Amino acid sequence: MENTNLTNTEEQQTQKPVKLVPIIIAIFMGNFLSLLNSNTINIALPVLQKEFASDLSVVQWALTGFMLALGTFAPTAGYFGERFSYKRLYMFALLGMTVASVLCALSWNAPMLIAFRIIQGAFCGIIVPASMTMIFQTIPRHQQSAAMSIWIAASIVAPAIGPSFAGWLIQHGSWKWLFWTNVPLGLLAIVFAFFFIPYYRLKVPKGFDLWGLLTVIAASSLLLITLSQGAGWGWGSVSTLICLGSGLLALALFLWRELSIESPLLQLKVFLNRRFTSTLLLLCIVMINFFSGMLLVPVFLQNVQGHSPLDTGIILLPSTLAMAIMSLIVGRLYKVVGPKPLLFVGVLLMIAGNLPLAWLQIDSSSAYTLLWMTIRSIGLALVLMPATTAGMEEISREYIGHASSIQNWLRNVFVSFGVALFTTLLSSRTADHAARLTNEDAGPQLAHLSTTMGINDLNLLTTLIVVLALPFVFAIPSKRKKERAMDGALSDPVR
């Protein structure tokens, strides 16, 4: 049944009985597929290079273009979710992702594959915020922490198993199967969404903010291109500076536009909620650390110790499973102790697990790497779900879509920034160590030793970055303002 008006209090609405398990399965599948597609193509790039007789600089746009579209279209989910309902938007995005996957599998040259991957990324960029929004709109309050634990588990497992899964598919089949596997799973997710996710819509936007859409797409595209290509162009080059300046100008125009009109594309008033803003900044810091580990540790295992991509995935799989299992446990702990104790312990465990990874040696055992990665992963699990839930549950259901779009948008920007920064620093630090070791006659181990030292430098840096998350933990208010909210306050996104 369609319900376009808010007639009861939010607490009353969230107590309505729903079929929780089918809803969570439908939401889990879409989120999992979206994030899996972000991390499977990496392993296939050398294969695609040979398949299409193209340079690596060309085929890598199958990854870069996808990530650009993923970050660029996330901010649009708020408006379109309100306009058509998040259920319909989610199903449309799943269908678009599935069709784009078919087109990717049928591609016969690199430009065609890149174009369809960009389209696929645009739809995946909508799936993630839409799926998060539906958790807070359709699932009862007392079950939201459990649902978010499963949503976070999908966010963890998909990037972690992506490379191993891709390596197995390519080894036993073809790169095309990276896309064909999306088809039955995507269609199944659509069926689950159609039958089990309730229709929910509070209001229809009064108008479409076209200029907001154009400026946010321009800002996101230009800034993400700067971050992804700055290292290759040179951070001080004219191309980088023009792209960065244009992106910042577009961002300023977008912010001015959103703050000056009645029906903005994104409701920036959510930033007035201190709990939402503090947890969002905390998440951005943590996500930089999360993806830096996904970059640095595989480089060490493959380029220094000579493990294959499949072996690397197998070595790191236990830490990923520990993280996913802990995410499910955290959902129960959250109800008992609240977010702050979990966040504090989680950040400390991330620091404790990350610091020993700054002391890697060429012959460090896989057990050593796995041990500290597991401790770090458990810390991440203690942070991701509580930080996401604590901020989002403060926002009224009317503005949950805007908050979700903003959160996923900024997380994508920060992750892109982190990956670009660490990729550049790894190259420069490795070169610096190689130059110094050459003078010291390091012998045949020069390349491996310099790479290990560069990785250690960056792991130390990421440890220091995680320390910066501690002040945001203490800045989170202990009690939810929602507990004191009355019916008349429900339209206020900052309550």
Side-chain angles (χ1 to χ4, degrees):
M1 292 180 63
E2 298 190 5
N3 180 20
T4 60
N5 296 306
L6 183 63
T7 57
N8 302 312
T9 67
E10 187 170 352
E11 290 298 329
Q12 288 171 331
Q13 286 179 324
T14 54
Q15 296 304 318
K16 291 181 178 180
V18 296
K19 297 179 180 179
L20 182 63
V21 173
I23 292 176
I24 292 178
I25 291 174
I27 293 174
F28 177 94
M29 290 178 67
N31 191 41
F32 180 84
L33 280 175
S34 175
L35 295 170
L36 186 67
N37 278 285
S38 305
N39 295 274
T40 54
I41 200 71
N42 312 44
I43 301 300
L45 292 181
V47 177
L48 295 174
Q49 186 180 0
K50 295 178 181 178
E51 175 82 10
F52 299 131
S54 298
D55 293 333
L56 184 60
S57 60
V58 175
V59 297
Q60 64 93 21
W61 273 96
L63 172 62
T64 303
F66 178 96
M67 297 305 296
L68 287 173
L70 186 76
T72 298
F73 281 85
T76 67
Y79 169 82
F80 290 110
E82 287 186 354
R83 179 67 180 82
F84 301 106
S85 86
Y86 285 93
K87 173 178 178 174
R88 291 173 179 171
L89 178 66
Y90 180 66
M91 293 172 58
F92 174 74
L94 281 171
L95 179 61
M97 183 274 295
T98 304
V99 172
S101 298
V102 173
L103 296 175
C104 286
L106 296 176
S107 299
W108 59 79
N109 59 44
M112 181 177 292
L113 175 62
I114 292 168
F116 293 137
R117 275 283 290 176
I118 291 173
I119 295 172
Q120 186 188 49
F123 286 113
C124 288
I126 295 172
I127 289 173
V128 177
S131 64
M132 180 190 291
T133 300
M134 289 188 295
I135 288 176
F136 290 94
Q137 281 192 342
T138 63
I139 293 177
R141 172 70 59 194
H142 65 284
Q143 296 174 309
Q144 286 176 0
S145 58
M148 278 305 301
S149 297
I150 297 174
W151 190 90
I152 292 292
S155 304
I156 294 168
V157 174
I161 71 170
S164 301
F165 176 67
W168 183 83
L169 280 179
I170 293 171
Q171 182 173 326
H172 294 88
S174 165
W175 64 268
K176 294 179 181 291
W177 282 103
L178 298 178
F179 303 106
W180 286 124
T181 53
N182 289 332
V183 178
L185 295 177
L187 294 176
L188 185 61
I190 293 171
V191 171
F192 267 79
F194 179 80
F195 285 106
F196 297 115
I197 294 179
Y199 179 93
Y200 190 93
R201 185 171 58 174
L202 285 173
K203 65 175 186 177
V204 178
K206 293 181 180 180
F208 177 54
D209 182 15
L210 177 61
W211 286 108
L213 177 64
L214 295 177
T215 51
V216 74
I217 288 178
S220 300
S221 300
L222 290 167
L223 291 175
L224 291 172
I225 288 173
T226 301
L227 294 173
S228 62
Q229 300 300 308
W233 293 343
W235 292 109
S237 69
V238 174
S239 297
T240 300
L241 294 177
I242 290 176
C243 199
L244 176 62
S246 300
L248 292 175
L249 177 60
L251 178 61
L253 291 172
F254 168 71
L255 296 176
W256 172 80
R257 171 75 180 179
E258 300 309 280
L259 292 171
S260 62
I261 66 171
E262 182 180 357
S263 299
L265 182 74
L266 284 180
Q267 181 54 262
L268 300 182
K269 282 178 65 179
V270 295
F271 282 111
L272 296 176
N273 185 287
R274 192 172 64 143
R275 200 179 197 192
F276 173 78
T277 303
S278 298
T279 54
L280 176 55
L281 293 172
L282 173 62
L283 277 171
C284 289
I285 293 172
V286 168
M287 292 303 290
I288 290 176
N289 179 270
F290 181 26
F291 278 85
S292 70
M294 292 177 61
L295 169 70
L296 296 174
V297 174
V299 168
F300 172 73
L301 292 174
Q302 294 180 50
N303 293 3
V304 175
Q305 296 195 325
H307 294 287
S308 68
L310 183 58
D311 289 340
T312 298
I314 293 173
I315 291 171
L316 297 179
L317 184 59
S319 66
T320 303
L321 294 177
M323 189 174 179
I325 293 170
M326 180 56 66
S327 295
L328 300 177
I329 296 173
V330 168
R332 295 181 177 272
L333 295 176
Y334 185 88
K335 296 179 182 179
V336 179
V337 302
K340 291 185 74 169
L342 296 173
L343 293 172
F344 180 68
V345 174
V347 171
L348 291 183
L349 285 176
M350 288 180 65
I351 294 171
N354 214 86
L355 185 58
L357 295 175
W359 305 328
L360 292 171
Q361 304 292 326
I362 292 177
D363 57 352
S364 292
S365 67
S366 297
Y368 177 90
T369 306
L370 176 60
L371 170 65
W372 298 113
M373 281 292 289
T374 301
I375 293 174
R376 172 180 171 273
S377 295
I378 292 174
L380 273 163
L382 288 170
V383 171
L384 291 178
M385 176 268 165
T388 303
T389 304
M392 294 293 290
E393 68 183 2
E394 274 282 276
I395 307 301
S396 67
R397 298 171 89 186
E398 185 176 2
Y399 293 100
I400 279 289
H402 292 270
S404 176
S405 296
I406 289 171
Q407 186 183 104
N408 284 279
W409 176 40
L410 291 182
R411 283 169 58 174
N412 282 328
V413 170
F414 272 80
V415 166
S416 297
F417 170 75
V419 171
L421 175 65
F422 291 127
T423 301
T424 301
L425 288 178
L426 180 59
S427 298
S428 62
R429 293 305 299 156
T430 299
D432 291 343
H433 287 301
R436 181 174 59 80
L437 292 172
T438 299
N439 296 330
E440 297 177 5
D441 192 20
Q445 294 288 342
L446 172 63
H448 290 167
L449 186 57
S450 60
T451 300
T452 302
M453 295 173 71
I455 290 172
N456 288 342
D457 290 345
L458 295 191
N459 279 325
L460 179 59
L461 175 60
T462 58
T463 303
L464 296 176
I465 289 175
V466 175
V467 173
L468 296 177
L470 284 173
F472 295 106
V473 174
F474 296 114
I476 298 171
S478 298
K479 294 184 178 180
R480 289 172 21 218
K481 293 181 181 179
K482 185 183 290 292
E483 294 169 357
R484 304 190 301 271
M486 303 299 291
D487 291 2
L490 289 175
S491 61
D492 180 4
V494 298
R495 281 196 300 281

